[in-house]
């Protein structure tokens, strides 16, 4: 590497890649972190929500709406809504019955959901990879490399979502209620805060974020069965690195994972995936609350 | 009653029943049942840590997969015999368990589970990328099977598996096994009566990893191939499923869980190509209908006590 | 009399609040010391420091063993236990999933380091079971030896907790509110157990709210208030001391 003259266009293109990938990861991980931070549930099915979001985008883009830009915007909104609905139903229909059970029960139930979602997706959309025919908004040139404008859009969405979540949880009454309900569920209930509905809404919001993430990923990464199983375990790495329950932590964690994977793949591909888990393990050993975790999160 | 239902006495009839399989069934079912036996042993290994010591590992695929890979590498790449490769596999698995156990046991509960997940994904990443040794995503093919035929190798699987189960049972019935259960029930009190809780947990982690590793080391010659899927986190989750399916508070529960899991897969695959869907639905149903697992449920029905 | 346990100038702060504020005391051999004081006086924190559960900010705890006195401050809990400091808890702290006798067996196995004999069954160690029988008979739980600890009553769990603490023939026994939450009948049983331990010359440090129990079983009584020792002496003199009324009632 040292002997090679640094090609600025190449570096810019790879940085854009890494930023896009980090944005997608942030959108999934923020939902997972939100759900864990508020509800203390580790939702393995979160990756499946991401996958379903990608398929919703594929269908809206290719079948329902003509025109690339409109199709993408419609696909993102549709994925958010569909997954919010799915998330709500999963919380009300299944998860709420296992809150009082040990964590392995929650893990297994959400694992069962992965299996169900993976095959349901195959039944509806088949087993082959689904690619969108075009990427909207074209691309611009840096040196001899083309960078899709879509990357910039994705990064912008991630930043807006991050900012929105931050505002919501620090500046609004609903957000404060949710955080209070998370910290002191009994007191919140006694004071008349309806934790039941707050939990359902939190889970729906988290699922919607995963759906939006999948929808934004589909134009570049395609949609395929099983795409959620890798996404979920990377999301775990991100929220562990950043600190479970912290939005800022998810943001920084996603950047760390996104950049280390993108550049490791070029510099030393053997460690491309391994590096993420080395960082995850090191953080857990040294500072289990993660870079931005507020407090020790020992369950019940 | 409890002892009869769940104890070592049941190893003998189960062994006898399983010994008949290759005589009455063809190679297909022999392979299937052998796979079930090995899944079962892997789940029993997991349960030493989970059911008996109270620690949820979410990375046991690393011991299974490492056992399987080392035997594959030993026999195919290093041209060692099966027995040498097998012993090598046990050594590597123990070393892996020592390092990952020492580091993971700095925490308990969810952080412990996350650490074991991180380590197993690390091992997976190595297997996926280290092409010259592991064959990367294609894995390793043409692993020689001792004794050749499936029906003959079946007995190697059966005998080694049941020897492992018997020794595991003996260990869990020993004073050390009582120490495991004490640490599970009340680690704080265990420390105050004089156990070094961390050391007890580490020993349990070693035993647990080793037993699962033994099963994995027998698995790759059975299939004659191995690929990184055997190290992926979804297989760790499957091991947790098997243990809960059979019943984590009964010694043979996870073993039966492993056997049943293989048959659920086989029957679901025969019914539809969407067998994961069926598996998922059954898993969901078990959580709600049989929270103490199949064997746990039977033990309760028979009026016995668990453990 | 020769001191067995020596606590020297122990301080423990939680934030800016002093839970224990410079306490020194000794437990001599074959002596029962009652430790009293209102809630928040620092009694349980002091026991936690002695048994290694809480690290003090300053001060030291020493234990007399064969051939000398060892400092135990800062040592791991299990090491302090193995050196001979036994502890029973205010809220029964037992192994819920194990039967009564297995609770005792595991404590004996830990204290005699029998966990290394992995070739034997834990329930066929005759020497362990003889000891276990003796201890369970002492606390009156032998008839219930096969009952799961989670199925015992509060009082029985309390007795089991004390029984667990007794297995090692401790150099010093720390009892934290042995009679709290018990019926009059059960209190009587605890008192008679303490009396029989006194006959066996086991040194004890007993934190207790029931002053009748304290004054009847203790050789010396120490009253704590706001982290400090307020009054110390034989039961009669402490009972008569006006400062004690002040600590409890602010009079």
């Amino acid at each position: 590497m040292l002997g090679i003259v640094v090609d600025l266009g190449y570096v810019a293109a790879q940085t854009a890649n890494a930023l896009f990938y980090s944005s997608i990861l942030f959108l999934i991980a923020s939902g997972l972190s939100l759900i864990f931070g508020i509800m203390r549930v580790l939702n393995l099915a979160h990756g499946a929500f991401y996958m379903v979001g990608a398929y919703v985008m594929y269908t809206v883009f290719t079948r329902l709406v003509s025109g690339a830009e409109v199709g993408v915007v419609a696909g993102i909104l549709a994925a958010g809504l569909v997954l919010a609905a799915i998330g709500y139903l999963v919380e009300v229909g299944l998860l709420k019955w296992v809150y009082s059970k040990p964590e392995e029960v929650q893990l297994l139930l959400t694992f069962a959901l992965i299996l169900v979602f993976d095959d349901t997706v195959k039944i509806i959309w088949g087993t082959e990879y689904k690619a969108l025919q075009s990427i909207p908004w074209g691309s611009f040139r840096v040196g001899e490399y083309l960078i899709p404008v879509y990357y910039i859009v994705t990064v912008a969405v991630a930043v807006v979502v991050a900012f929105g979540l931050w505002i919501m949880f620090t500046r609004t009454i609903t957000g404060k209620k949710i955080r209070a309900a998370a910290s002191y569920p009994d007191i919140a209930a006694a004071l008349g805060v309806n934790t039941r509905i707050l939990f359902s809404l939190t889970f729906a919001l988290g699922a919607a974020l995963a759906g939006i993430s999948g929808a934004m990923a589909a134009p570049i990464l395609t949609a395929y069965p099983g795409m959620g199983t890798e996404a979920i375990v990377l999301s775990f790495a991100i929220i562990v690195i950043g600190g479970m329950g912290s939005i800022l932590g998810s943001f920084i964690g996603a950047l760390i994972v996104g950049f280390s994977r993108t550049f490791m793949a070029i510099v030393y591909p053997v460690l491309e995936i391994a590096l993420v888990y080395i960082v995850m393990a090191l953080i857990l050993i040294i500072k289990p609350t993660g870079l931005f975790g507020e407090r020790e999160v020992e369950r019940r | 009653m409890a002892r009869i239902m769940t104890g070592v006495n049941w190893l003998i009839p189960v062994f006898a029943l399983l010994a008949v399989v290759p005589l009455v069934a063809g190679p297909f079912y022999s392979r299937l049942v052998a796979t079930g036996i090995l899944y079962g042993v892997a789940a029993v290994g997991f349960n030493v840590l989970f059911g008996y010591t109270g620690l949820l590992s979410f990375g046991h695929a690393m011991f299974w997969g490492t056992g399987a890979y080392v035997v594959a590498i030993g026999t195919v790449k290093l041209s060692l015999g099966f027995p040498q490769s097998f012993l090598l596999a046990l050594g590597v698995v123990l070393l892996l368990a020592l390092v990952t156990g020492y580091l993971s046991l700095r925490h308990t509960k969810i952080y412990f589970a996350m650490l074991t997940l991180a380590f197993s994904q690390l091992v997976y990443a190595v297997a996926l990328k280290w092409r010259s040794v592991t064959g990367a995503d294609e894995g390793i093919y043409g692993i020689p099977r001792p004794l050749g035929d499936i029906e003959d190798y079946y007995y190697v699987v059966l005998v080694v598996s049941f020897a492992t189960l018997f020794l595991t049972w003996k260990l869990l019935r020993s004073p050390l096994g009582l120490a495991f259960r004490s640490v599970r029930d009340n680690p704080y009190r265990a420390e105050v009566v004089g156990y070094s809780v961390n050391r007890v947990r580490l020993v349990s982690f070693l035993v647990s990893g080793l037993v699962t590793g033994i099963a994995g080391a027998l698995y790759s010659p059975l299939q004659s191939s191995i690929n990184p899927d055997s190290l992926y986190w979804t297989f760790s989750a499957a091991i947790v499923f098997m243990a809960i399916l059979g019943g984590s508070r009964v010694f043979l529960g996870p073993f039966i869980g492993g056997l049943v899991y293989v048959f659920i897969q086989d029957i679901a695959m025969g019914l539809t190509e969407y067998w994961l869907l069926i598996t998922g639905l059954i898993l969901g149903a078990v959580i709600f209908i049989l929270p103490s697992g199949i064997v746990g449920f039977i033990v309760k029905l028979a009026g016995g006590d668990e453990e | 009399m020769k001191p067995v346990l020596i606590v020297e100038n122990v301080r423990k702060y939680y934030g800016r609040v002093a839970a224990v504020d410079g306490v020194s005391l000794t437990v001599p051999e074959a002596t029962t010391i009652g430790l009293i004081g209102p809630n928040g006086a620092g009694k349980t924190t002091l026991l936690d420091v002695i048994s290694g559960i809480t690290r003090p900010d300053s001060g030291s705890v020493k234990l007399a063993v064969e051939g000398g006195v060892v400092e135990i401050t800062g040592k791991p809990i299990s090491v302090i236990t193995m050196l001979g400091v036994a502890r029973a808890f205010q809220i029964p702290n037992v192994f819920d999933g194990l039967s009564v006798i297995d609770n005792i067996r595991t404590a004996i196995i830990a204290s005699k380091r029998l966990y290394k004999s992995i070739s034997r069954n834990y329930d066929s160690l005759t020497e362990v079971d003889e000891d276990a029988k003796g201890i369970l008979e002492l606390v009156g739980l032998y008839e219930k030896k096969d009952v799961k600890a989670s199925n015992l009553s509060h009082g029985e769990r309390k007795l089991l907790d004390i029984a667990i603490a007794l297995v090692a023939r401790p150099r010093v026994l720390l009892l934290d509110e042995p009679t709290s939450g018990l019926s009059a009948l059960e209190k009587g049983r605890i008192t008679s157990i303490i009396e029989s331990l006194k006959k066996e010359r086991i040194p004890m440090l007993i934190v207790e709210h029931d002053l009748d129990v304290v004054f009847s079983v203790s050789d010396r009584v120490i009253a704590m208030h706001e982290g400090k020792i307020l009054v110390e002496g034989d039961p009669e003199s402490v009972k008569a001391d006006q400062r004690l009324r002040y600590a409890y009632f602010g009079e």
Side-chain angles (χ1 to χ4, degrees):
Chain A
M1 278 307 285
L2 289 178
I4 300 167
V5 178
V6 177
D7 177 345
L8 279 180
Y10 183 70
V11 172
Q14 290 303 334
T15 305
N17 261 335
L19 280 173
F20 167 75
Y21 189 50
S22 301
S23 301
I24 296 293
L25 289 174
F26 165 72
L27 288 170
I28 325 173
S30 61
L32 187 69
S33 185
L34 185 68
I35 290 169
F36 182 80
I38 305 290
M39 305 163 69
R40 290 288 174 273
V41 171
L42 274 179
N43 175 30
L44 285 176
H46 206 68
F49 294 164
Y50 162 79
M51 170 187 69
V52 174
Y55 277 102
V56 170
M57 167 63 100
Y58 169 78
T59 297
V60 170
F61 189 88
T62 55
R63 296 282 175 79
L64 305 180
V65 184
S66 58
E69 282 80 10
V70 180
V72 164
V73 173
I76 292 168
L77 294 177
L81 287 175
V82 168
L83 268 301
I86 291 177
Y88 184 82
L89 291 176
V90 164
E91 202 277 337
V92 171
L94 292 171
L95 271 186
K96 75 166 181 198
W97 304 106
V98 297
Y99 288 145
S100 57
K101 303 212 167 154
E103 54 224 350
E104 68 272 9
V105 174
Q106 299 173 4
L107 284 174
L108 280 183
L109 182 63
T110 52
F111 179 64
L113 282 174
I114 295 180
L115 303 180
V116 172
F117 276 109
D118 264 4
D119 266 3
T120 310
V121 157
K122 284 182 204 159
I123 292 170
I124 299 173
W125 285 283
T127 52
E128 64 278 13
Y129 282 46
K130 297 291 185 191
L132 276 61
Q133 290 90 337
S134 61
I135 302 171
W137 289 298
S139 44
F140 61 92
R141 184 177 284 280
V142 178
E144 47 188 295
Y145 296 91
L146 285 174
I147 299 174
V149 174
Y150 185 71
Y151 281 12
I152 312 291
V153 175
T154 309
V155 173
V157 168
V159 170
V160 167
V161 165
F163 193 67
L165 287 174
W166 181 72
I167 292 282
M168 183 179 157
F169 283 100
T170 55
R171 295 284 180 272
T172 70
I173 303 281
T174 315
K176 284 178 181 167
K177 263 192 197 168
I178 292 178
R179 293 209 315 182
S183 308
Y184 312 101
D186 301 341
I187 297 172
L191 293 176
V193 176
N194 191 334
T195 49
R196 204 62 283 298
I197 289 176
L198 287 179
F199 272 27
S200 304
L201 291 181
T202 302
F203 198 79
L205 175 62
L209 287 172
I212 290 169
S213 176
M216 300 229 55
I220 307 290
L221 303 173
T222 75
Y224 54 95
M227 69 190 281
T229 56
E230 199 200 353
I232 183 65
V233 73
L234 284 174
S235 303
F236 274 142
I238 288 166
I239 69 170
V240 159
I241 291 170
M244 298 194 203
S246 160
I247 298 297
L248 176 65
S250 299
F251 197 80
I252 304 295
L255 285 172
I256 291 173
V257 171
F259 272 81
S260 67
R261 272 201 75 173
T262 306
F263 284 93
M264 239 2 192
I266 303 160
V267 179
Y268 192 56
V270 174
L271 282 185
E272 180 201 336
I273 309 171
L275 184 65
V276 172
Y277 299 109
I278 293 172
V279 174
M280 178 182 177
L282 280 178
I283 293 270
L284 275 168
I285 292 165
I286 298 163
K287 191 170 184 294
T289 48
L291 295 176
F292 297 94
E294 291 169 10
R295 60 202 144 91
E296 193 78 4
V297 191
E298 286 291 344
R299 280 174 40 100
R300 279 182 266 278
Chain B
M1 188 67 199
R3 211 124 287 163
I4 301 167
M5 283 301 297
T6 57
V8 74
N9 314 32
W10 279 83
L11 279 180
I12 295 157
V14 174
F15 179 88
L17 203 64
L18 289 172
V20 182
V21 170
L23 306 177
V24 296
F28 178 81
Y29 278 101
S30 298
R31 183 202 294 261
L32 192 72
V33 175
T35 305
I37 292 170
L38 293 178
Y39 279 10
V41 173
V44 166
F46 161 82
N47 203 45
V48 168
L49 198 56
F50 175 68
Y52 285 86
T53 318
L55 287 166
L56 174 64
S57 158
F58 214 61
H60 253 53
M62 72 175 142
F63 304 119
W64 166 270
T66 300
Y69 263 99
V70 174
V71 165
I73 292 164
T75 51
V76 174
K77 307 246 164 171
L78 305 176
S79 311
L80 296 173
F82 174 75
Q84 292 89 329
S85 305
F86 184 77
L87 290 177
L88 183 65
L90 301 197
V92 174
V93 166
L94 261 185
L95 198 65
L96 178 71
L98 189 67
V99 174
T100 58
Y102 175 77
L103 293 172
S104 303
L105 286 168
R106 286 153 180 265
H107 304 295
T108 55
K109 299 184 181 180
I110 204 72
Y111 290 123
F112 173 80
M114 286 288 121
L115 262 167
T116 52
L117 172 68
F119 286 125
S120 77
Q121 284 293 107
L122 187 54
V123 176
Y124 164 77
V126 169
L128 190 65
K129 293 286 179 176
W130 198 7
R131 185 170 294 277
S132 60
V133 174
T134 62
D137 51 347
E138 285 158 19
I140 298 171
Y141 287 89
I143 301 159
R145 190 182 296 128
L147 308 179
D149 286 341
I150 293 259
E151 287 97 324
D152 296 330
Y153 181 64
Y154 181 96
Y155 288 101
V156 176
V157 169
L158 187 68
V159 169
V160 177
S161 291
F162 273 73
T164 306
L165 289 178
F166 178 72
L167 290 176
T168 309
W169 166 252
K170 278 294 287 178
L171 189 78
L172 291 172
R173 291 274 296 138
S174 78
L176 186 63
L178 189 63
F180 290 174
R181 284 158 60 202
S182 307
V183 166
R184 172 198 70 196
D185 277 357
N186 194 338
Y188 180 64
R189 191 42 152 150
E191 191 84 39
V192 181
V193 299
Y195 288 116
S196 167
V197 168
N198 240 354
R199 223 173 289 171
V200 172
R201 284 178 169 151
L202 183 59
V203 172
S204 172
F205 196 96
L206 290 177
V207 173
S208 175
L210 183 64
V211 171
T212 301
I214 288 172
L218 292 167
Y219 178 71
S220 50
L222 177 71
Q223 302 298 339
S224 73
S225 70
I226 193 71
N227 66 54
D229 282 352
S230 63
L231 284 160
Y232 201 45
W233 74 265
T234 48
F235 191 66
S236 295
I239 294 176
V240 181
F241 174 28
M242 295 169 207
I244 307 269
L245 175 68
S248 63
R249 284 300 175 100
V250 192
F251 176 71
L252 274 183
F255 181 74
I256 303 297
L259 272 172
V260 172
Y261 180 82
V262 165
F263 275 92
I264 291 174
Q265 268 195 351
D266 180 60
I267 294 166
M269 277 173 168
L271 289 174
T272 161
E273 62 182 296
Y274 304 113
W275 58 276
L276 282 176
L277 180 67
I278 311 269
T279 312
L281 292 175
I282 292 174
L283 172 49
V286 166
I287 290 167
F288 286 107
I289 300 166
L290 291 177
S292 53
I294 298 169
V295 183
F297 179 71
I298 296 172
V299 170
K300 275 187 188 161
L301 266 192
D305 198 1
E306 292 173 283
E307 281 190 339
Chain C
M1 265 183 289
K2 211 179 109 201
V4 178
L5 182 76
I6 306 138
V7 175
E8 278 172 358
N9 206 16
V10 162
R11 280 201 166 76
K12 176 70 197 175
Y13 282 77
Y14 290 109
R16 279 151 73 190
V17 180
V20 177
D21 193 6
V23 167
S24 301
L25 61 84
T26 54
V27 182
E29 59 183 2
T31 306
T32 300
I33 295 193
L35 191 56
I36 60 174
N39 286 326
K43 305 173 304 270
T44 297
T45 306
L46 186 63
L47 289 197
D48 284 351
V49 167
I50 295 169
S51 46
I53 292 161
T54 303
R55 231 165 239 239
D57 296 322
S58 64
S60 72
V61 182
K62 290 178 182 136
L63 186 72
V65 296
E66 288 86 9
V69 175
V70 289
E71 168 140 12
I72 57 174
T73 3
K75 286 196 161 51
I77 298 169
S78 57
V79 172
I80 292 174
T81 304
M82 297 304 284
L83 283 170
V85 179
R87 168 86 186 261
F89 292 83
Q90 181 182 1
I91 297 158
N93 206 338
V94 301
F95 303 103
D96 271 330
L98 305 184
S99 66
V100 167
I101 190 152
D102 284 354
N103 268 269
I104 306 301
R105 280 172 176 151
T106 195
I108 297 173
I109 284 165
S111 73
K112 293 192 172 169
R113 298 177 192 275
L114 289 170
Y115 41 81
K116 283 174 185 156
S117 29
I118 53 173
S119 60
R120 304 181 59 186
N121 284 351
Y122 72 86
D123 55 0
S124 59
L125 303 163
T126 39
E127 67 281 15
V128 169
D129 282 11
E130 275 167 25
D131 286 2
K133 187 173 183 226
I135 289 160
L136 285 177
E137 277 171 347
L138 174 70
V139 299
L141 282 176
Y142 191 70
E143 290 71 41
K144 302 224 167 188
K145 67 182 169 68
D146 294 320
V147 177
K148 230 183 194 185
S150 57
N151 294 334
L152 295 177
S153 72
H154 174 75
E156 288 164 342
R157 287 158 61 81
K158 203 95 193 174
L159 288 164
L160 180 58
D161 190 340
I162 293 172
I164 291 172
L166 290 177
V167 300
R169 247 209 91 81
R171 290 180 205 281
V172 60
L173 176 62
L174 314 174
L175 298 176
D176 194 356
E177 308 234 1
T179 72
S180 73
L182 298 191
S183 67
L185 194 72
E186 288 166 330
K187 273 187 187 179
R189 197 189 239 173
I190 298 269
T191 320
S192 69
I193 290 168
I194 294 173
E195 291 295 347
S196 63
L197 294 173
K198 280 171 72 88
K199 284 202 192 89
E200 294 193 41
R201 302 174 53 79
I202 293 178
M204 284 178 274
L205 182 59
I206 304 177
V207 169
E208 179 57 58
H209 267 303
D210 188 323
L211 297 185
D212 292 338
V213 173
V214 177
F215 291 121
S216 77
V217 300
S218 304
D219 303 311
R220 288 177 70 75
V221 175
I222 295 175
M224 279 180 75
H225 182 51
E226 291 176 349
K228 293 187 167 73
I229 290 180
L230 190 68
V231 191
E232 186 173 359
D234 57 74
E236 280 65 38
S237 67
V238 172
K239 208 184 230 174
D241 199 301
Q242 288 302 313
R243 286 174 293 174
L244 190 62
R245 298 176 64 82
Y246 174 78
Y248 273 95
F249 307 111
E251 284 169 14

